[in-house]
Amino acid sequence: MADLKVTYDETANAAYVYFTEPQARVRSAHMYPCDPAGVDGMINLDFDERGRLVGIEVLDARSKLPEYLLRSADRLDAGDS
């Protein structure tokens, strides 16, 4: 299984899961916001200029993602709790 890069900002309670090579600097060309009924939270899908999914932003991440994933994520808030 490929390793995925995940970043997490505890202050914003937002996580980002990257589907690109770790060294790649792919820019999102289009963001598709998803607000699924019954999920109570926002998930944004980012696509590159060729229409490939490059990442997912998960808002209200503590209620949507497993704790082990958030603990192992690269912290954007410098780990301040």
Side-chain angles (χ1 to χ4, degrees), residues 12-32:
N13 191 17
Y16 197 88
V17 181
Y18 295 82
F19 296 128
T20 58
E21 294 287 334
Q23 306 85 352
R25 294 191 181 255
V26 178
R27 299 180 93 178
S28 173
H30 177 71
M31 187 266 295
Y32 179 77

Side-chain angles (χ1 to χ4, degrees), residues 2-8 14-28 44 46 53-58 65 69 73-76:
D3 290 330
L4 293 177
K5 178 179 178 180
V6 178
T7 57
Y8 177 56
Y16 197 88
V17 181
Y18 295 82
F19 296 128
T20 58
E21 294 287 334
Q23 306 85 352
R25 294 191 181 255
V26 178
R27 299 180 93 178
S28 173
N44 298 315
D46 287 336
L53 183 62
V54 295
I56 299 175
E57 179 184 34
V58 180
L65 297 173
L69 187 64
D74 293 339
R75 294 296 292 268
L76 300 178

